């Protein structure tokens, strides 16, 4: 018989972090009393899967609920209570005040240890006329069920999505796949801030290619029913509005209890996710975490980190020490037939952090080009100058972009340099990769840059070069050149270059391009071998530049810098 | 004008390693004279893609040739000579003796630096009657063209493949996909020695499921035409025979020149891939490399390492130093709709090396189980005891097995422990993974094992336990139990276990199982919390054990230990 007095742990919030903490606690301590409170109708649902209900990929709403309170009780002896809102914490008394939303009753629940995993709520901004619109957040099973039921029962055809973060984009994609006519409005100049402005243009095009009316750099100023008038004056008609402009941490009771909460509403914790009160832990979307690369605090609303924190807290409560190694923010998203992933810092973040950095942008095939489904993989590898330390990466392609970012995320955890990435020995067979994986390839280019083997300009510099009449030599074969090239570029195929050296100016900077900048790199080395010190590679070349330019050309009607888009 | 005397480099072998060395050399030195000799009809073909010609995935043989001698000349000023066999090296004179196989002429080619990238030849064993059979190796474009032409022109229907290594299996798979009736004969008890015996059973079943007549532990003793009689007496009929039993390094001229060649015919090199002669380098399938984990020499016939060696040699010749960090042997293969990958040491290798090791075997879903194409991923993670250093891993599934092995391969390069793998922050969205990636999951189990949180037996121990009447408790729900369970197992669902503790014996070892060993682990922790010290988890449980047993049951007719196979 077990004789000790059992420990009692109360957990506020029963989704990703809360449910993980509860079950790990049970596995570590069969005798602890574990109470899990959630104000919603469900605990333990797959919040990341909510958007997939809208396309039918998840074909029934109740499948989104992974464990019922009954299952928590039977399998884990966990007292999971839904519709149970924690309204206050009495730290001195070690109690949580709970309101039963089903019957209105209230009570105090005592705890030895308290875990706050309250998550965050969708922000519904006070826009003119919003009360008259059919506005839906997508944060809970109830939310997505309401939206799905509304759309199907009303025969809605047009849905406006406001906000281009992960949830907004996933909702837009899934609704478009279900046949709805979708508009997506994002106030920033781009969707998905985890991707740099250059890379995300590929996804902008993917959205448009699949029928989404994508509007960036604009915002809703007024609703008339479900129609929206934007700041630009543009009117976007719709039958329903999904609001995904952001989330607000549910940390009011933490603040009211005198715990340390930041201006952004995030709870501050120590390395073991303990708040200022040693008997109260906090995890998940509601806390501030440490960026593993910069050492600085950051918000991070991702399920993987929440689960790691949950496990670490359960371990700590049970006397086990786990090292908190910080977070990279590794992330991924499917945008129709494109896969996109990133890890570590973006170039934009490096800029804001004042880091000295550069990046390689390569576009190799994701597998042996002979394979029927081979496709270009756009990979941006960001590294510190002059150390070569890997700071981050982004990959977008129809093939396995996520794999490459998982590899980089793994390497970054060990403080990898680009030379380390070059040396990685990754799995290769023609259906899966190339003998040089795209990660190796990007690292080779990065190493060449660090070695000073060549200089480059980036895709976002191409327009300025074309418009200023810079000397651009395209080294592809004439047929490829004819199909589309940078305006003003001169065609000297690589195979003719040694015989036509006298056509390459020596008195001004000469920019070399091709399809993906790999052949132009060879041309650069060739020319340098003949004494040219004035040659610069155009990273990304026609494929990268075409994709970079396409969406803005299309939406602004500006003059294209290419005679024909590639890719 | 360039005034120095240009360096002259001769390369023997113009496929993976040779062609890479040649082009890297050119990029580093525009003025070097580069001569690349190959005795075959082609240089620079995709040898890894050869089997894919047979299914039609590669729809024309000439697509396998990536660069012609003309293209090497025009783009890289490389003198690539096909049908040019190097027959001797005169180290003192710094010349290679070359025979032109097209016209029979012979000449000496001088070099400053010589790179040996001769590859290896298919072994055609002297089996009785082999001269009367239609025997095809698959090592070159000419080989696969001959085979493809033979099969299609003769209307062949049945093909026998001898040898179950990568080439043999890929040929068998591609031929089966093309509609041929394929038999595969392997002398060892399993195909693909890079996978452990437990894991490879999944691929054995995949082969049979897709109609391949797979015969292991048997070998050809006689040919009668294209029919084979095996050592067991079994006769395998066929219209053609693919011989893929092994390869022999083409190192006779290296040995004849007095370079250091091992008993297995592999050239020994220093860390920069220089042979005993400082002006002669050697790379690719023909050399011995260093295992990064054991520090011991090994053979490694993989394209990725060959390309790395090629680049390093070119760099070294041009005065750049690159560190040789050894090799893991990361590998992957598609076997019909299954993807399989591995890196580092197998458990069998650990055993041979006398290492103290253990392994976790987990079978999580490869992505969120709600996604329509989610499927189990079988992942074996091998680690050193008691350090937790990761020694190797294997993954097999219909989903992204390769990604997970790339992650482990990356981690191993940094000397990772299982705790490092646990902490990895990999990309997560429902179409790509779970919040805990299978790699994290395997690492958590491995950590629990190292912490002594529970004990386990492996899938290859299940039969002994069942046959000896061990006490096995299956903690799944009754419907799952009824569909198939270990013979003699008792069913106590996890949800009832706390109420039925008195049914669990305390006087003997009790083995817990379920579908994938995750629920049984929870049961183990529950029972340990109630003082049971006699409980052991069955790693892999019903899904792992079913797949482990299926092929041998089927081919030997032995009594199954399960009442119904799962998975």
């Amino acid at each position: 018989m077990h004789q000790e007095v059992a420990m009692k742990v109360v957990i506020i919030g029963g989704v990703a972090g809360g449910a993980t903490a509860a079950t790990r606690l049970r596995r570590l301590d069969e005798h602890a009393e574990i109470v899990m409170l959630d104000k919603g109708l469900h605990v333990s649902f797959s919040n990341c899967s909510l958007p997939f209900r809208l396309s039918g990929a998840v074909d029934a709403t109740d499948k989104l609920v992974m464990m019922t309170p009954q299952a928590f009780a039977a399998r884990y002896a966990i007292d999971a209570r839904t519709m149970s809102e924690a309204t206050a914490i009495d730290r001195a008394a070690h109690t949580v005040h709970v309101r039963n939303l089903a019957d209105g009753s209230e009570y105090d629940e005592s705890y030895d240890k308290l875990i706050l995993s309250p998550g965050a709520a969708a922000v519904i901004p006070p826009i003119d006329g919003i009360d008259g619109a059919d506005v839906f957040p997508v944060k809970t099973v109830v939310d997505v069920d309401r939206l799905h039921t509304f759309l199907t029962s009303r025969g809605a055809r047009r849905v406006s999505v406001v906000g281009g973060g992960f949830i907004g984009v996933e909702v837009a994609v899934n609704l478009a796949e279900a046949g709805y006519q979708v508009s997506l409005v994002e106030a920033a100049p781009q969707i998905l801030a985890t991707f740099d402005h250059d890379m995300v243009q590929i996804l902008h095009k993917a959205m448009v290619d699949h029928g989404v009316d994508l509007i960036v750099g604009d915002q809703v100023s007024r609703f008339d029913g479900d129609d929206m008038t934007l700041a630009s004056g543009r009117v976007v008609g719709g039958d329903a509005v999904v609001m995904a402009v952001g989330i607000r941490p549910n940390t009011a009771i933490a603040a009211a209890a005198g715990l340390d909460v930041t201006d952004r509403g995030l709870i501050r914790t120590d390395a073991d996710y303990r708040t200022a009160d040693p008997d109260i832990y906090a995890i998940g979307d509601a806390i501030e975490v440490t960026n593993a690369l910069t050492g600085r605090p950051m918000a991070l609303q991702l399920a993987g980190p929440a689960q790691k924190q949950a496990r670490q807290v359960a371990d700590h409560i049970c006397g086990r020490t786990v090292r908190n190694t910080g977070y990279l923010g590794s992330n991924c998203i499917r945008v129709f037939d494109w896969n996109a992933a990133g890890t570590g810092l973006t170039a934009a973040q490096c800029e804001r952090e004042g880091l000295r950095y550069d990046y390689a942008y390569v576009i190799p095939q994701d597998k042996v080009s002979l394979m029927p489904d081979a496709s270009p993989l756009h990979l941006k590898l960001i590294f510190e100058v002059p150390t070569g330390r890997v700071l981050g990466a982004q990959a977008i392609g129809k093939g396995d972009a996520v794999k490459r970012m998982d590899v980089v995320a793994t390497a970054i955890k060990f403080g990898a340099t680009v030379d380390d990435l070059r040396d990685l020995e990754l799995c290769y067979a023609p259906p899966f990769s190339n003998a040089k994986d795209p990660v190796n390839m990007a690292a080779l280019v990065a190493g060449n840059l660090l070695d000073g083997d060549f200089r480059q300009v980036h895709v976002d510099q191409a327009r300025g070069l074309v418009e200023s009449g810079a000397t651009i030599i395209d080294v592809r074969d004439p047929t490829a050149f004819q199909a589309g090239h940078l305006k003003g570029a001169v065609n000297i195929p690589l195979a003719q270059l040694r015989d036509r050296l006298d056509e390459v100016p020596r008195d001004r900077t000469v920019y070399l391009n091709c399809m993906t900048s790999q052949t132009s790199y060879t041309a650069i080395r060739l020319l340098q071998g003949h004494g040219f010190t004035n040659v610069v590679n155009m990273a990304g070349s026609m494929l990268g530049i075409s994709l970079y330019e396409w969406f803005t050309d299309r939406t602004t009607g500006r003059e294209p810098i290419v005679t024909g888009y590639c890719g």
Side-chain angles (χ1 to χ4, degrees), chain A:
Chain A
M1 290 291 94
H2 195 78
Q3 299 299 340
E4 298 172 46
V5 175
M7 167 177 63
K8 180 171 175 186
V9 181
V10 173
I11 302 167
I12 297 178
V15 190
T20 301
T23 52
R24 173 68 177 167
L25 271 171
R26 173 57 70 230
R27 284 194 291 268
L28 293 179
D29 186 344
E30 172 66 8
H31 302 284
E33 184 179 348
I34 305 171
V35 177
M36 186 166 74
L37 307 167
D38 201 285
K39 67 181 173 184
L41 260 182
H42 307 96
V43 285
S44 190
F45 62 85
S46 177
N47 38 10
C48 301
S49 299
L50 296 177
F52 297 87
R53 175 69 191 104
L54 301 169
S55 60
V58 175
D59 58 10
T61 302
D62 57 8
K63 288 188 180 175
L64 293 164
V65 180
M66 278 142 29
M67 285 259 289
T68 60
Q70 292 71 33
F72 273 103
R75 306 186 125 222
Y76 292 100
I78 289 168
D79 182 357
R81 304 178 195 163
T82 57
M83 300 289 280
S84 298
E85 182 176 15
T87 56
I89 302 165
D90 185 334
R91 289 167 52 190
H94 274 57
T95 58
V96 176
H97 193 73
V98 185
R99 182 185 299 133
N100 181 328
L101 301 178
D103 63 15
S105 63
E106 306 203 3
Y107 58 95
D108 287 325
E109 190 71 41
S110 68
Y111 65 82
D112 297 315
K113 300 289 181 187
L114 176 65
I115 302 174
L116 306 179
S117 181
V123 171
I124 307 294
I127 299 168
D128 258 8
I130 195 167
D131 293 341
D134 296 296
V135 172
F136 298 86
V138 181
K139 277 293 290 176
T140 66
V141 175
V142 172
D143 289 343
V144 81
D145 192 40
R146 273 184 61 226
L147 172 59
H148 187 256
T149 303
F150 180 90
L151 295 177
T152 50
S153 65
R154 302 287 184 97
R157 298 307 313 143
R158 303 169 305 164
V159 184
S160 299
V161 179
V162 184
F166 283 113
I167 294 175
V169 172
E170 283 183 335
V171 164
V173 168
N174 278 280
L175 286 172
E177 288 179 338
Y180 293 98
Q181 186 183 318
V182 177
S183 299
L184 176 65
V185 179
E186 165 58 51
Q190 68 166 77
I191 60 173
L192 299 172
T194 52
F195 293 90
D196 274 317
H197 188 247
D198 49 359
M199 296 298 285
V200 86
Q201 302 306 328
I202 303 167
L203 301 179
H204 285 176
K205 182 170 189 297
M207 297 286 274
V208 175
D209 284 346
H210 288 83
V212 174
D213 178 26
L214 175 63
I215 303 161
V216 297
D218 208 345
Q219 50 192 310
V220 186
S221 57
R222 195 177 76 243
F223 285 98
D224 298 291
D226 292 325
D227 294 344
M228 313 186 300
T229 302
L230 306 186
S232 63
R234 186 167 161 186
V235 174
V236 178
D239 304 321
V241 179
V242 174
M243 193 56 71
V245 293
I247 57 178
R248 184 186 299 118
N250 292 320
T251 51
I253 69 163
L259 301 177
D260 192 1
V261 176
T262 71
D263 292 346
R264 298 173 65 184
L266 298 169
I267 302 171
R268 285 211 178 89
T269 70
D270 69 9
D272 292 306
Y273 304 108
R274 254 186 316 197
T275 65
D277 184 325
D279 289 329
I280 306 180
Y281 296 78
I283 58 177
D285 291 1
I287 70 166
E288 196 175 67
V289 298
T290 302
N291 186 301
L293 281 156
T294 65
R296 311 248 287 229
M298 66 172 176
L300 186 68
Q301 275 91 29
L302 293 171
Q307 288 202 7
K308 281 195 178 60
Q309 294 152 20
R311 184 179 162 102
Q312 182 171 339
V313 162
D315 282 9
H316 194 262
I317 287 174
C318 295
R320 297 178 176 215
T321 310
V322 177
R323 190 65 59 204
N324 178 342
T325 55
Y327 295 93
L328 301 175
S330 305
N331 63 84
C332 58
I333 186 169
R334 182 176 64 77
V335 178
F336 298 102
D337 48 350
W338 289 82
N339 304 314
T343 188
L345 305 176
T346 60
Q349 283 177 292
C350 292
E351 201 68 44
R352 286 198 296 273
E353 296 281 344
L355 297 171
R356 196 170 155 214
Y357 71 95
D358 198 357
Y359 51 90
Y361 177 20
V362 297
I363 318 177
Q365 296 288 302
D366 69 310
K367 60 191 71 168
V368 168
S369 55
L370 294 170
M371 296 294 106
D373 59 347
S375 63
L377 187 81
H378 297 255
L379 200 165
K380 177 173 182 172
L381 176 65
I382 304 160
F383 53 94
E384 193 171 62
V385 175
T387 64
R389 182 169 69 120
V390 180
L391 296 175
Q394 295 150 54
I396 302 179
K398 295 186 177 179
D400 202 337
V402 177
K403 172 168 75 171
R404 277 69 190 214
M405 293 302 94
D406 276 355
V407 165
V408 176
T410 301
I412 290 178
K413 268 285 189 185
F414 295 95
T417 65
V418 298
D419 288 351
D420 293 320
L421 291 190
R422 175 198 64 201
D423 284 343
L424 290 180
E425 192 191 335
L426 303 171
C427 303
Y428 162 58
F432 301 109
S433 184
N434 279 290
K436 274 191 207 71
D437 188 83
V439 172
N440 299 133
M441 180 83 76
L444 288 168
V445 172
N448 288 340
L449 286 165
L450 282 167
D451 288 341
D453 283 354
F454 75 106
R455 289 177 293 147
Q456 65 177 6
V457 289
H458 294 300
V459 290
D460 56 2
Q461 296 172 269
R463 175 165 289 272
L465 294 174
V466 170
E467 289 178 350
S468 66
T471 301
I472 298 172
I473 296 178
D474 189 316
V475 295
R476 292 175 296 161
D477 292 333
T479 40
F481 181 79
Q482 283 312 321
H485 55 263
L486 290 172
K487 290 178 179 170
V490 174
N491 185 216
I492 306 182
L494 175 63
Q496 302 173 13
L497 189 55
R498 283 183 187 82
D499 297 329
R500 296 171 63 180
L501 291 177
D502 54 353
E503 296 176 42
V504 181
R506 289 182 183 263
D507 61 347
R508 55 184 178 274
T509 303
V510 175
Y511 299 89
L512 279 285
N513 90 330
C514 58
M515 184 56 102
T516 69
S517 79
Q518 210 179 340
T519 305
S520 57
Y521 163 66
T522 296
I524 296 265
R525 297 293 299 169
L526 186 166
L527 290 169
Q528 288 173 337
H530 291 280
F532 290 83
T533 58
N534 56 327
V535 284
V536 174
N537 201 12
M538 299 189 76
S541 281
M542 279 306 293
L543 191 49
I545 294 165
S546 291
L547 285 171
Y548 179 71
E549 293 283 316
W550 187 91
F551 175 75
T552 311
D553 287 358
R554 184 181 194 281
T555 51
T556 65
R558 70 180 179 189
E559 180 73 20
I561 59 170
V562 296
T563 64
Y565 298 103
C566 301

